[in-house]
Amino acid sequence: MTEPATIDAAVEVRDLTRTFGARKALDRVSFDLPRGAFLSVFGPNGAGKTTLVKVLTTLTAPSKGTAKVSGFDVVADAVELRSEIGLISHNPLLYPDLSAEENLVFFADMYGVPDAAARVRELLVAVELDHRRLDLVRTFSRGMLQRLSIARALLHRPKVLFLDEPYSGLDPHAVEILDHLIEQIRADHTFVMISHDLAKGLALCSHALILAKGKVVLSAPREELDEAEFAETYRATVGLGVA
Amino acid sequence: MAGEARGLSLRQFKAILHKDIVMELRTKEMITSMGLYALLTMVIYQVALSQSGTAFDPRNIAAGLLWLAFVFTSMLGLNRSLVHEKDQGCLEALLLSPVDRPVIFFAKAIGNLIFLLIVQALTIPVFAFLFLQQGSYAGEWWMIPLALLAGAVGISGVGTLLATMSVNTKGKDFVLAVLFVPLMYPLLLAAVSATSAAVLGGDGSVQQFWTGMGMMAGFDAIMLLASFALYEFIVGA
Ligand SMILES: Nc1ncnc2c1ncn2[C@@H]1O[C@H](COP(=O)(O)OP(=O)(O)OP(=O)(O)O)[C@@H](O)[C@H]1O
Ligand SMILES: [Mg+2]
């Protein structure tokens, strides 16, 4: 449709706009992300970060512009795209009245995961919730919920992972678990992570993006960034306040 | 390819249905609220008819009373089936997965149908005990269950569709209530007519029964086709 960007692009965003009434949550956002990259998205509250992730994960339709993830258009190829992506969002996206194991088995079925039982067990062990697998999710703490939702997002081995503030609410040990999980799958996955933690976001990323009031303020590969300058830009945009 | 996709859809359908039944068995939210509501309606009928005297035969209005109870009961209950998904943010998780939207509809609608049939099965004996003691039931034994089933299919389908619409709308209960009755009107008319024919018997009752059944079947078919076509759009709104 538009000019073909690099074949290898995991995410291709062109003039993406999303309005809610008169408010522009995203305003002509454009950027590319190569396969295997790790994008950290920064920006003040209300900048449009979550909206961006929702559009890229097919949960919200764009008002204008186009976006492709893993080569699939978020509108036209939404069904195919959904098998390729995983999302860890603010919400755990788990059923409180099902046990940890039942939740994962349910989502394994929804994604058509082969050999579901083994995969579920493997992930429960990886997020260190195997001993609580029979407990109702209702009884879980915030950090445990977050770990389980990480397991849910990884079930179907998605190629592109979206993480909306995945570290919020985690204790240091859970942070380690998440770090470890990311490190393990880093090589063969593309990541888009929203973060308010500048140090953490920069340490992990290969690309950085700052959004403010729905617009791209800065978008650059990590190696081209001057850290002090970046921090200055970030502070200035956050200083702009809520859109 | 196509066979594989169908296999996945079937697996997803079973998973959603199984999950809803497991959760309902655990929380008993819908069955209790709907069952209780239906029973309370019976009590209110009892009060309302308490002064009607012996000359009056409640069988004449039995079918209408029954369906009235089922309509109000389902308006109360069906709303819950999607609200609980929405409240916990799970609708998003469902929408995020590679499931064809009509699969969600059919799984939810079948779940609702099962719950509604259970409520009907609980209500009928109470109703018969309270109102149908004098004078016997005229039709064949299978007529009533058949009419109840055909009506319940329509109610569950329309109810599931409207409940989905209303989760994305502000006045949730309002949307369901306002649209439910007008949409259900033809089905209700047919259901009451068929059920009444079964209860009362008499000349031409068999024909009246099958006319009602035919209308209900037509309504159910149209409703299912419309849901199939519209669900993607409705759920994505
Ligand atoms: N469903 C919605 N209806 C109306 N406005 C919305 C909706 N979702 C988001 N917005 C608006 O869009 C803007 C961007 O919101 P978004 O959630 O994307 O911000 P964010 O960058 O994720 O913020 P935070 O750091 O607080 O998570 C905000 O002004 C918000 O009010
Ligand atoms: Mg956000």
Side-chain angles (χ1 to χ4, degrees), chain B residues 106-187:
Chain B
F106 283 115
K108 286 277 165 195
I110 297 282
N112 286 336
L113 176 63
I114 293 174
F115 302 144
L116 190 58
L117 288 176
I118 292 174
V119 171
Q120 286 186 337
L122 292 175
T123 314
I124 291 289
V126 178
F127 185 80
F129 173 75
L130 287 177
F131 304 110
L132 297 182
Q133 279 168 324
Q134 19 155 263
S136 58
Y137 164 63
E140 301 276 350
W141 68 269
W142 46 262
M143 284 173 135
I144 295 268
L146 203 60
L148 287 180
L149 178 67
V153 168
I155 292 184
S156 318
V158 172
T160 306
L161 201 65
L162 291 182
T164 313
M165 261 188 210
S166 59
V167 288
N168 290 319
T169 321
K170 271 186 208 98
K172 295 183 199 315
D173 306 307
F174 183 73
V175 173
L176 189 64
V178 165
L179 291 178
F180 196 66
V181 174
L183 276 176
M184 294 301 297
Y185 192 83
L187 180 85

Side-chain angles (χ1 to χ4, degrees), chain A residues 54 57 59 79 82-83 87 91 93-99 102 106-113 116 136, chain B residues 8 11-12 15-16 19 22-23 26-27 84-85 88-90 92-101 232:
Chain A
K54 283 199 167 174
T57 52
L59 291 174
V79 181
R82 290 185 185 116
S83 313
L87 169 67
N91 271 329
L93 307 184
L94 297 162
Y95 293 94
D97 291 312
L98 296 182
S99 71
E102 285 168 336
F106 170 70
F107 286 109
D109 284 337
M110 294 307 290
Y111 281 94
V113 174
L136 292 191
Chain B
L8 177 60
R11 187 172 164 191
Q12 292 165 332
I16 298 175
K19 165 197 71 96
V22 166
M23 293 206 319
R26 223 161 257 173
T27 62
H84 78 234
E85 299 266 357
Q88 297 146 8
C90 293
E92 227 167 61
L94 217 51
L95 296 181
L96 201 58
S97 66
V99 54
D100 286 330
R101 287 9 185 177
E232 167 110 48

Side-chain angles (χ1 to χ4, degrees), chain A residues 45-46 48-51 90 164-165 194 196:
Chain A
N45 292 140
K49 305 182 294 297
T50 298
T51 306
H90 291 292
D164 194 345
E165 299 176 39
I194 296 175
H196 288 294

Side-chain angles (χ1 to χ4, degrees), chain B:
Chain B
M1 255 331 256
E4 208 173 282
R6 218 171 304 131
L8 177 60
S9 289
L10 189 63
R11 187 172 164 191
Q12 292 165 332
F13 171 84
K14 283 189 201 154
I16 298 175
L17 187 59
H18 177 254
K19 165 197 71 96
D20 281 347
I21 291 174
V22 166
M23 293 206 319
E24 179 61 31
L25 288 178
R26 223 161 257 173
T27 62
K28 304 194 178 58
E29 233 176 49
M30 273 172 75
I31 300 269
T32 349
S33 59
M34 284 167 77
L36 209 61
Y37 195 85
L39 292 183
L40 286 175
T41 312
M42 296 298 122
V43 174
I44 292 169
Y45 286 168
Q46 165 79 23
V47 174
L49 295 177
S50 62
Q51 304 303 317
S52 60
T54 47
F56 179 71
D57 184 357
R59 288 194 311 153
N60 288 325
I61 57 166
L65 291 183
L66 256 186
W67 283 104
L68 194 70
F70 292 145
V71 164
F72 281 118
T73 305
S74 8
M75 269 165 73
L76 180 86
L78 299 188
N79 226 7
R80 304 216 57 81
S81 72
L82 276 120
V83 167
H84 78 234
E85 299 266 357
K86 181 77 173 184
D87 283 350
Q88 297 146 8
C90 293
L91 194 59
E92 227 167 61
L94 217 51
L95 296 181
L96 201 58
S97 66
V99 54
D100 286 330
R101 287 9 185 177
V103 173
I104 303 181
F105 170 78
F106 283 115
K108 286 277 165 195
I110 297 282
N112 286 336
L113 176 63
I114 293 174
F115 302 144
L116 190 58
L117 288 176
I118 292 174
V119 171
Q120 286 186 337
L122 292 175
T123 314
I124 291 289
V126 178
F127 185 80
F129 173 75
L130 287 177
F131 304 110
L132 297 182
Q133 279 168 324
Q134 19 155 263
S136 58
Y137 164 63
E140 301 276 350
W141 68 269
W142 46 262
M143 284 173 135
I144 295 268
L146 203 60
L148 287 180
L149 178 67
V153 168
I155 292 184
S156 318
V158 172
T160 306
L161 201 65
L162 291 182
T164 313
M165 261 188 210
S166 59
V167 288
N168 290 319
T169 321
K170 271 186 208 98
K172 295 183 199 315
D173 306 307
F174 183 73
V175 173
L176 189 64
V178 165
L179 291 178
F180 196 66
V181 174
L183 276 176
M184 294 301 297
Y185 192 83
L187 180 85
L188 275 180
L189 218 54
V192 170
S193 161
T195 313
S196 208
V199 173
L200 293 173
D203 278 350
S205 71
V206 173
Q207 201 204 333
Q208 187 188 335
F209 176 80
W210 286 113
T211 309
M213 286 300 296
M215 280 170 67
M216 282 195 273
F219 182 95
D220 292 349
I222 292 172
M223 179 270 307
L224 289 177
L225 283 178
S227 307
F228 192 81
L230 288 177
Y231 206 66
E232 167 110 48
F233 168 73
I234 287 173
V235 86

Side-chain angles (χ1 to χ4, degrees), chain A residues 174-189:
Chain A
V175 167
E176 266 171 39
I177 294 178
L178 182 53
D179 278 341
H180 182 67
L181 276 171
I182 289 180
E183 207 178 279
Q184 266 186 327
I185 58 175
R186 172 84 190 246
D188 43 6
H189 288 70

